[in-house]
Amino acid sequence: MSAESTTPRTVHVALNERSYDIIIQPNIIAEAGRVLAATVHSRRCLVVTDRNVGPKYGPRLAKSLQMAGFDGSLAELPPGEAAKSLKVAEILYDRCLGAGLDRGSCLIALGGGVIGDLTGFVAATYYRGIVFVQVPTTLLAMVDAAIGGKTGVDLPTAKNAVGAFHQPRAVLIDPLTLATLPDRELKAGLAEVIKYGVLDDAELFAFIEQHSQQLLAKDTAALAHVIERCAAIKARIVSQDEREQGGGPRALLNLGHTFGHAIEAATGYQGYSHGEAVAIGMCMAVALSVELQWLAPADRDRVVALIAHVGLPTKLKPTDPDTNTLYAASLKDKKVAAGSLRFVVAEGIGKTKVVTDVPEAVVKKVWDSGRE
Ligand code: ADP
Ligand code: ZN
């Protein structure tokens, strides 16, 4: 590994008294205790992880916490979205009580977006809010879910329906943990990485084009570079619009998500992962951008080509739900503003804006054309 890839990179999230650092550094898990001792006052903590991640990285994190004087225990949950529930949250509250966590104690989320969202929610509500730290281990969580303070759980019929804004005290990103991440999960994370390029950063987009093979081969330096760029974009946007006020800049992060969420919902969260649905959704978002004459067809083709190149889907399958079903699903999304669909459209690579009042016929035309 080159010296450059082992140097810590820090991205600051500026939110007044809720400000924090995102530290990207290979092997930071082994240093987490030392790093956290400087930002977390209490030494009592509970690490929350799942049965895939816990055995791989839990002992190293626990040892580092112990060496820094932390008195910690570990809660290992079953992997999968089902853990993002009020039932499992209740189990965690019990674990917090059992571990003697008080108002000054700290929760540490070690895992993907599921563990991060759930642990953040428990931290937001236990004793009306305690400190928590994110140690994301999926690419998707590193560039998106772990940053920005959105926490929550699902209800049986509604994803992310119960939640709170609660910023972490720190985000520690160890790109080496991606070595064990299944390929399909890595690619799902790349969908969000490409999203950041399209929405804000033409240089990042070109970097992904030029380094797609290194990224897919989990080259640490290439991954650390894109993680830092994405984290910096998200940090800036969250600083400007912490709570996603209607039409604020945070809405831009939803590029590809109006279509993507509808695809996930209409397929019952079975056929596509979030990243895969967003990949197809982004292809539709750039198709819509061309349809509305904001984007040149050549830029649309560049986005679709890159998504295909990293092995992500670009179109729906013939067997997927029909256009009317998908359109109806998009109207149910919780981000629909007063009955009007909001889309993020691209005006070029790295330049996006939010549009409302797109005619139904145009949206349906895009759904129709986005199928194999
Ligand atoms: P996301 O971050 O995409 O929301 P999840 O939290 O659902 O994803 O994690 C996706 C899957 O990957 C889960 O089964 C989880 O246990 C597993 N996982 C997370 N991080 C790693 C890792 N670094 N190595 C291996 N498996 C991992
Ligand atoms: Zn997303």
Coordinates of all heavy atoms in Angstrom, one line a residue, residues 50 52-53 57 79 112-114 137-138 140-141 177 180-182 185, ligand 1:
D50 N -23.5 -6.8 13.7 CA -24.3 -8.0 13.3 C -23.4 -9.2 13.2 O -22.2 -9.1 13.4 CB -25.2 -7.7 12.1 CG -24.3 -7.7 10.8 OD1 -23.2 -8.2 10.7 OD2 -24.8 -7.0 9.8
N52 N -22.5 -11.0 10.8 CA -21.5 -11.1 9.7 C -20.3 -10.2 10.1 O -19.1 -10.6 9.9 CB -22.0 -10.5 8.4 CG -23.1 -11.5 7.8 OD1 -23.0 -12.7 8.1 ND2 -24.0 -10.9 7.1
V53 N -20.5 -9.0 10.6 CA -19.4 -8.1 10.8 C -18.7 -8.3 12.2 O -17.5 -8.2 12.3 CB -20.0 -6.6 10.7 CG1 -18.9 -5.6 11.0 CG2 -20.7 -6.4 9.4
Y57 N -14.6 -8.0 12.8 CA -14.0 -6.7 13.2 C -14.3 -6.4 14.7 O -13.6 -5.5 15.2 CB -14.5 -5.6 12.3 CG -14.2 -5.9 10.8 CD1 -15.2 -6.2 10.0 CD2 -12.9 -6.0 10.4 CE1 -14.9 -6.6 8.6 CE2 -12.6 -6.3 9.1 CZ -13.6 -6.6 8.2 OH -13.3 -7.0 6.9
P79 N -28.0 -10.4 10.9 CA -27.9 -9.5 9.8 C -29.2 -9.3 9.0 O -30.1 -10.2 9.1 CB -26.8 -10.1 8.9 CG -26.8 -11.6 9.3 CD -27.4 -11.7 10.7
G112 N -23.1 -2.1 8.6 CA -23.7 -1.4 7.4 C -24.8 -0.4 7.8 O -24.9 -0.1 9.0
G113 N -25.5 0.0 6.8 CA -26.6 1.0 7.1 C -27.6 0.6 8.0 O -28.2 1.4 8.8
V114 N -27.9 -0.7 8.0 CA -29.0 -1.2 8.9 C -28.5 -1.0 10.4 O -29.3 -0.5 11.2 CB -29.2 -2.7 8.6 CG1 -30.1 -3.4 9.7 CG2 -29.9 -2.9 7.3
T137 N -19.2 -0.2 7.8 CA -18.4 -1.3 7.1 C -18.9 -1.6 5.7 O -18.3 -2.6 5.1 CB -18.3 -2.5 8.0 OG1 -19.7 -3.0 8.1 CG2 -17.7 -2.3 9.4
T138 N -19.9 -1.0 5.2 CA -20.3 -1.1 3.8 C -19.9 0.2 3.1 O -19.9 1.2 3.7 CB -21.8 -1.4 3.6 OG1 -22.5 -0.3 4.0 CG2 -22.2 -2.6 4.4
L140 N -21.8 1.7 1.0 CA -23.0 2.5 1.0 C -23.1 3.3 2.3 O -23.3 4.5 2.4 CB -24.2 1.7 0.8 CG -25.5 2.4 0.5 CD1 -26.3 1.7 -0.5 CD2 -26.3 2.6 1.8
A141 N -22.8 2.6 3.5 CA -22.8 3.3 4.7 C -21.7 4.4 4.9 O -21.9 5.4 5.4 CB -22.8 2.3 5.9
T177 N -12.0 -2.7 5.8 CA -13.1 -3.6 6.1 C -13.9 -4.0 4.8 O -14.6 -5.0 4.8 CB -14.1 -3.0 7.1 OG1 -14.6 -1.7 6.5 CG2 -13.5 -2.7 8.4
T180 N -13.8 -7.7 2.9 CA -14.7 -8.9 3.1 C -16.2 -8.6 2.6 O -17.0 -9.5 2.7 CB -14.8 -9.3 4.6 OG1 -15.1 -8.1 5.4 CG2 -13.4 -9.8 5.1
L181 N -16.4 -7.4 2.1 CA -17.8 -7.0 1.7 C -18.1 -7.8 0.4 O -17.3 -7.8 -0.5 CB -17.9 -5.5 1.5 CG -19.3 -5.0 1.2 CD1 -20.1 -5.1 2.5 CD2 -19.2 -3.6 0.7
P182 N -19.3 -8.5 0.4 CA -19.6 -9.2 -0.9 C -19.7 -8.2 -2.0 O -20.1 -7.0 -1.9 CB -21.0 -9.7 -0.6 CG -21.1 -9.8 0.9 CD -20.2 -8.7 1.5
E185 N -22.7 -6.0 -2.7 CA -22.8 -4.9 -1.8 C -21.9 -3.8 -2.2 O -22.2 -2.6 -2.0 CB -22.5 -5.3 -0.3 CG -23.4 -6.4 0.2 CD -24.8 -6.0 0.5 OE1 -25.1 -4.8 0.5 OE2 -25.7 -6.9 0.6
Ligands
ADP1 P1 -26.3 -1.2 3.7 O1 -25.1 -0.5 4.3 O2 -26.2 -1.4 2.2 O3 -27.6 -0.7 4.2 P2 -26.5 -3.7 5.4 O4 -26.3 -3.0 6.7 O5 -27.8 -4.3 5.1 O6 -26.2 -2.7 4.1 O7 -25.4 -4.7 5.1 C1 -25.4 -5.5 4.0 C2 -24.8 -6.9 4.3 O8 -23.4 -6.8 4.3 C3 -25.3 -7.4 5.6 O9 -25.5 -8.8 5.5 C4 -24.0 -7.2 6.5 O10 -24.0 -8.1 7.6 C5 -22.9 -7.4 5.5 N1 -21.7 -6.6 5.8 C6 -21.6 -5.4 6.2 N2 -20.3 -5.0 6.2 C7 -19.6 -6.1 5.9 C8 -18.2 -6.3 5.7 N3 -17.3 -5.3 5.8 N4 -17.8 -7.5 5.3 C9 -18.7 -8.5 5.1 N5 -20.0 -8.3 5.2 C10 -20.4 -7.1 5.6

